[in-house]
């Protein structure tokens, strides 16, 4: 079946001397993996290896057999030309971190247009804004809406947030976001990327809250592991 779709690059793995295995989140078919034979062998290749950097937005044409094997990508063109993500180390680190989060979180091979729109808008925001120190925290919390475990906020006045139950609480029996971080955590809920960029945090608060939000993902997504890029990201913003 020939499929035409918008897509977001999640990862690209070198295969052999000249090929790539790429993972894309597509608007029409969800998460898919493709074999790109010979794409690294020649600058004249029909598909350019430079198109497959984390979070690159593409228009693709593909052949899907839907048999659980690697699919075939026949055409790809850039949907957006990044102005800053590939050239600013902090943004590159954020892109790698987000791509790794998505690689672990998104598994369904089916269309989810609202999620695709959220992801593409987030990538464009990251590329076009300068105040990005809180972007990854805002992104993770907004992503949980689509994954089914967005924090409940019926009792936002309570002093802790229970990571297991996903709700504010007055008890610290389970793993919680503590009182000294609950104010900044609460500030992220219900706000967008622009609003989150105005939240003041110390470097220590940002690092500790990020580690707790990653733990929140681990508690609610089976098989989720600490992203390898987490350490790099913490170092960048310290």
């Amino acid at each position: 079946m020939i499929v035409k779709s918008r897509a977001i690059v999640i990862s690209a793995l070198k295969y052999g001397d000249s090929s790539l295995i790429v993972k894309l989140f597509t608007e029409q078919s969800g998460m898919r993996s493709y074999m790109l034979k010979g794409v690294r062998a020649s600058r004249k290749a029909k598909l350019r290896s430079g198109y497959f950097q984390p979070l690159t937005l593409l228009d693709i044409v593909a052949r899907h057999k839907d048999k659980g094997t690697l699919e075939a990508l026949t055409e790809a063109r850039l949907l957006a030309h990044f102005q800053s993500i590939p050239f600013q180390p902090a943004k590159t680190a954020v892109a790698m971190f987000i791509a790794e989060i998505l690689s672990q979180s998104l598994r369904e091979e089916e269309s989810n247009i609202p999620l695709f729109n959220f992801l593409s808008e987030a990538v464009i925001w990251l590329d076009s804004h300068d105040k990005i120190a809180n972007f990854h925290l805002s992104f993770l919390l907004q992503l949980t809406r689509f994954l089914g475990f967005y924090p409940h906020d019926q009792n936002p006045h309570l002093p802790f947030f229970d990571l297991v139950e996903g709700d504010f609480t007055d008890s610290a029996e389970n793993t919680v976001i503590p009182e000294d971080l609950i104010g900044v955590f609460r500030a992220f809920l219900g706000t967008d990327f622009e609003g989150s960029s105005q939240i003041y945090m110390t470097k220590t608060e940002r690092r500790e809250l990020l580690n707790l939000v990653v733990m929140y993902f681990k508690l609610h997504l089976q098989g989720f592991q600490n992203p390898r890029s987490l350490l790099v990201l913490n170092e960048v913003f310290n």
Side-chain angles (χ1 to χ4, degrees), residues 1-5 28-29 34 60-66 71-75:
M1 177 176 63
I2 301 298
V3 175
K4 296 181 179 181
S5 181
Q28 298 301 320
S29 306
Y34 300 87
I60 65 167
V61 179
R63 289 196 302 271
H64 288 178
K65 295 182 178 179
D66 294 323
E71 309 289 9
L73 194 65
T74 57
E75 296 180 31

Side-chain angles (χ1 to χ4, degrees), residues 1-237:
M1 177 176 63
I2 301 298
V3 175
K4 296 181 179 181
S5 181
R6 295 188 297 166
I8 299 173
V9 177
I10 304 300
S11 66
L13 177 67
K14 292 180 180 179
Y15 182 81
D17 294 331
S18 61
S19 301
L20 289 175
I21 296 174
V22 300
K23 185 184 291 187
L24 307 180
F25 184 70
T26 71
E27 183 177 28
Q28 298 301 320
S29 306
M31 192 70 86
R32 296 289 175 132
S33 294
Y34 300 87
M35 172 65 78
L36 278 57
K37 293 183 178 179
V39 70
R40 296 163 47 225
S42 171
R43 294 182 180 178
K44 297 181 180 180
K46 188 175 182 180
L47 297 171
R48 298 183 181 181
S49 59
Y51 284 1
F52 299 98
Q53 302 302 311
L55 303 189
T56 302
L57 300 173
L58 300 173
D59 241 338
I60 65 167
V61 179
R63 289 196 302 271
H64 288 178
K65 295 182 178 179
D66 294 323
K67 294 183 178 180
T69 57
L70 294 172
E71 309 289 9
L73 194 65
T74 57
E75 296 180 31
R77 68 177 183 85
L78 293 177
L79 264 178
H81 292 266
F82 288 158
Q83 303 301 310
S84 63
I85 291 176
F87 313 112
Q88 296 183 14
K91 290 191 177 185
T92 302
V94 170
M96 292 175 62
F97 173 76
I98 288 173
E100 195 174 353
I101 292 288
L102 295 176
S103 182
Q104 294 198 64
S105 304
L106 308 182
R107 297 170 184 144
E108 289 78 11
E109 294 186 347
E110 59 185 31
S111 176
N112 188 333
I113 293 176
L115 173 56
F116 184 89
N117 288 339
F118 163 70
L119 296 178
S120 58
E121 290 166 7
V123 171
I124 291 171
W125 195 97
L126 174 64
D127 188 59
S128 59
H129 288 76
D130 295 325
K131 295 182 66 175
I132 63 156
N134 293 337
F135 173 84
H136 48 292
L137 279 164
S138 180
F139 176 88
L140 291 180
L141 290 170
Q142 291 186 61
L143 179 62
T144 63
R145 289 187 183 276
F146 299 94
L147 301 178
F149 54 96
Y150 186 76
H152 301 296
D153 56 359
Q154 287 89 339
N155 301 295
H157 60 283
L158 295 178
F160 306 103
F161 181 81
D162 189 319
L163 294 173
V164 176
E165 298 298 330
D167 204 352
F168 289 91
T169 180
D170 57 4
S171 170
E173 291 183 2
N174 289 329
T175 304
V176 298
I177 293 177
E179 284 184 283
D180 60 337
L181 290 175
I182 203 69
V184 290
F185 173 73
R186 191 183 290 119
F188 278 98
L189 301 183
T191 192
D192 57 12
F193 297 124
E194 192 67 38
S196 68
S197 70
Q198 307 302 316
I199 297 171
Y200 174 76
M201 305 175 70
T202 67
K203 296 174 182 178
T204 299
E205 288 174 333
R206 185 176 294 109
R207 181 180 66 251
E208 292 178 352
L209 184 57
L210 176 59
N211 290 336
L212 287 166
V213 172
V214 169
M215 185 181 296
Y216 187 49
F217 273 66
K218 292 174 68 175
L219 289 168
H220 291 270
L221 290 177
Q222 186 176 5
F224 189 93
Q225 300 294 321
N226 270 1
R228 290 173 295 178
S229 54
L230 179 60
L231 179 60
V232 175
L233 191 67
N234 278 328
E235 289 177 352
V236 165
F237 287 108

